[in-house]
Amino acid sequence: MERGSNAGDPQGHAAHDLIARIFTCSAEVAAQVMRRGRVCAYAGNATILRQGDWLSTAFLLLFGRAQALLYSADGQMVLLHEYNPGDLFGALGELEPVRQEADVRALEDARALVLEAAEFALLAQQHGCISLALSRMLLKRLRKTTERMYERAAISAMGRVYAELLRQARACADLTIRPAPVVAELALRVATTRETASRAVNGLERRGIIRRSPDALVIVAPRRLEALIM
Amino acid sequence: MERGSNAGDPQGHAAHDLIARIFTCSAEVAAQVMRRGRVCAYAGNATILRQGDWLSTAFLLLFGRAQALLYSADGQMVLLHEYNPGDLFGALGELEPVRQEADVRALEDARALVLEAAEFALLAQQHGCISLALSRMLLKRLRKTTERMYERAAISAMGRVYAELLRQARACADLTIRPAPVVAELALRVATTRETASRAVNGLERRGIIRRSPDALVIVAPRRLEALIM
């Protein structure tokens, strides 16, 4: 774990603004949050937390992205959560240390504000805006997790790849995913093997439902793709 | 859906106390929460919410138990969440109506305080104790859901039945589950078929790891049972 500090941090102001936005709180409350924690920096691919660690700190991701990952009995990686700037993870509301449920890995260079869980609980108690933001975040994460659980129970692995492609394409202009999705990343997201994800994507291309170029993947026939999700 | 009312409700006082306990709030705040909602009663097995409904109400379970259930592609029921008195479900923090993610079914006679989601959001904004209680509840539910997702990915169906039996037994005196668990209920909890759950339990009995009587199931060799979870 690399450790940075607040002093002389050129990104300090940006972090400050971000905290005010995350908690929809005043600049004073944001400054108070910043003062209670320390900013830690992680290189891309670094492990921020290890599954099984006993933890008494909360992490507020400020820059970069991270993923919570588990390993199944047969060694397959399972994606549990994705964290973006503004997301919290670690020990959030518990008064006792908690056992970290998954590895958390930085996907790229990342910075997080690290706070003692007890300090964070106190801040949430003192400032309604913080506890509200926390419950909104948890609610969103719970819905996302539930959706994943449902998909894994209800939809075949191929179908989950199709659904993920549609989701990504619909978030982009012209149903074009740019850069083209990495097969390993697709597989991780929908809890299947690279082989299955690769078979699914190749099959769609052969049938003319998608078109691939070196830097993008276009969904040509979204209706047909949707009909294949089962 | 059966509708009751607050007026002349003999359980009104108990509900009032329960709300004060759930939110660790004053009697005045509890009374305010009660006034903003209406108490609805559900018979055992009644469907409280249907998957796919557009929802703008929050439910606070006051008495009885309920389950959130999904149906997988092959028609198997999947248990998403279990709700006990004090648990919240439905539209909790959203300002827009949300699509209900699962059927919610009362397991026995149940009562819930039903509030407009907007009213509930306002209460959480006004009273820090309510938003804190909400985030603690969501955090607990998220951990439980994550644990279920992990078990389903990492442990075989037979192993999940063993783990569930151990969990239930450890919550009881003398490792004795009383009344004996219903096989269909075990299967639902660990997302497997009745046949698999039944095979797992019968196998344990044959090997002398558990003992069954008409009204109880005793774990005789917890260490051996633990070693089988994989």
Side-chain angles (χ1 to χ4, degrees):
Chain A
M1 198 194 275
E2 291 170 48
R3 297 241 155 116
S5 83
N6 284 335
D9 181 351
Q11 292 185 297
H13 271 293
H16 201 277
D17 289 352
L18 180 65
I19 289 171
R21 270 209 312 281
I22 294 167
F23 297 125
T24 45
C25 66
S26 65
E28 292 91 281
V29 173
Q32 210 178 320
V33 173
M34 277 289 275
R35 270 200 307 276
R36 301 274 182 99
R38 61 178 191 279
V39 176
C40 295
Y42 306 92
N45 248 328
T47 298
I48 304 177
L49 290 173
R50 272 183 209 290
Q51 184 179 353
D53 282 355
W54 287 96
L55 205 68
S56 60
T57 43
F59 291 73
L60 174 60
L61 194 62
L62 298 173
F63 304 101
R65 290 180 307 139
Q67 287 183 327
L69 299 164
L70 283 172
Y71 299 86
S72 71
D74 54 2
Q76 200 180 303
M77 267 203 288
V78 180
L79 177 69
L80 262 188
H81 306 298
E82 299 193 279
Y83 304 121
N84 289 304
D87 280 338
L88 283 150
F89 56 90
L92 294 181
E94 293 91 350
L95 301 175
E96 310 277 304
V98 290
R99 196 114 196 216
Q100 173 60 21
E101 58 197 7
D103 279 0
V104 176
R105 207 185 54 184
L107 280 181
E108 54 200 28
D109 283 355
R111 267 154 193 267
L113 184 73
V114 184
L115 301 114
E116 287 303 310
E119 289 274 358
F120 182 67
L122 200 65
L123 283 167
Q125 225 150 19
Q126 288 167 339
H127 306 288
C129 51
I130 295 181
S131 61
L132 263 184
L134 177 62
S135 32
R136 284 221 187 90
M137 191 178 309
L138 292 172
L139 200 58
K140 222 176 83 193
R141 198 171 300 162
L142 189 61
R143 288 204 191 279
K144 184 74 201 165
T145 306
T146 301
E147 192 187 299
R148 283 218 178 90
M149 218 163 109
Y150 168 69
E151 281 203 350
R152 286 173 199 178
I155 303 178
S156 70
M158 298 284 254
R160 296 199 300 271
V161 176
Y162 305 153
E164 178 63 24
L165 285 175
L166 258 183
R167 244 195 312 266
Q168 290 191 17
R170 280 182 176 148
C172 305
D174 306 322
L175 292 177
T176 301
I177 309 168
R178 193 186 309 269
V182 178
V183 167
E185 192 62 30
L186 271 179
L188 177 62
R189 243 167 237 279
V190 303
T192 189
T193 59
R194 283 179 204 213
E195 293 68 35
T196 302
S198 172
R199 217 167 41 239
V201 175
N202 292 337
L204 292 176
E205 193 174 24
R206 219 173 24 247
R207 291 152 85 175
I209 295 173
I210 63 168
R211 203 172 50 226
R212 280 195 285 184
S213 65
D215 65 332
L217 185 154
V218 190
I219 299 194
V220 184
R223 291 283 174 87
R224 281 173 64 202
L225 183 54
E226 195 157 13
L228 289 175
I229 300 170
M230 59 181 72
Chain B
M1 198 194 274
E2 291 171 47
R3 297 246 153 112
S5 82
N6 285 335
D9 181 352
Q11 291 183 298
H13 272 291
H16 201 276
D17 289 352
L18 180 65
I19 289 172
R21 268 207 314 279
I22 295 166
F23 297 125
T24 44
C25 66
S26 64
E28 294 90 281
V29 173
Q32 209 178 322
V33 173
M34 277 289 276
R35 270 199 308 275
R36 300 274 183 98
R38 60 179 192 281
V39 177
C40 296
Y42 306 91
N45 248 327
T47 299
I48 303 177
L49 290 172
R50 269 183 213 288
Q51 184 179 353
D53 281 356
W54 286 97
L55 206 66
S56 60
T57 42
F59 292 73
L60 173 61
L61 194 61
L62 298 173
F63 304 100
R65 289 181 306 140
Q67 287 182 327
L69 299 162
L70 285 171
Y71 299 85
S72 71
D74 54 2
Q76 200 181 303
M77 267 202 289
V78 180
L79 178 68
L80 264 188
H81 306 297
E82 298 193 279
Y83 303 121
N84 290 303
D87 280 338
L88 283 150
F89 55 90
L92 294 181
E94 293 90 349
L95 300 174
E96 310 277 301
V98 291
R99 196 115 196 216
Q100 173 60 22
E101 59 197 7
D103 280 0
V104 177
R105 205 184 55 182
L107 280 181
E108 53 200 29
D109 283 356
R111 266 154 194 267
L113 183 73
V114 183
L115 301 114
E116 286 305 309
E119 290 273 356
F120 182 67
L122 200 65
L123 283 167
Q125 226 150 18
Q126 288 166 339
H127 307 287
C129 51
I130 295 180
S131 61
L132 263 185
L134 177 61
S135 29
R136 285 222 184 90
M137 193 178 308
L138 291 173
L139 200 58
K140 221 175 86 190
R141 200 173 296 164
L142 190 60
R143 288 204 191 279
K144 184 75 201 163
T145 305
T146 301
E147 189 188 301
R148 282 217 178 92
M149 222 164 105
Y150 168 69
E151 281 203 349
R152 286 173 200 178
I155 304 177
S156 69
M158 298 285 256
R160 296 199 300 271
V161 175
Y162 304 153
E164 178 63 26
L165 285 176
L166 257 183
R167 244 193 314 263
Q168 290 191 18
R170 280 179 176 151
C172 305
D174 305 323
L175 293 176
T176 302
I177 309 169
R178 192 186 311 271
V182 178
V183 168
E185 191 63 30
L186 272 179
L188 177 63
R189 244 167 237 278
V190 303
T192 188
T193 59
R194 282 179 204 214
E195 292 68 34
T196 302
S198 173
R199 215 165 45 237
V201 174
N202 292 337
L204 292 177
E205 192 174 23
R206 218 173 27 244
R207 291 152 84 175
I209 294 172
I210 62 167
R211 203 171 52 226
R212 281 195 285 184
S213 65
D215 65 334
L217 185 154
V218 189
I219 300 195
V220 182
R223 292 280 174 90
R224 282 172 63 202
L225 182 54
E226 198 157 11
L228 290 175
I229 300 171
M230 58 181 73

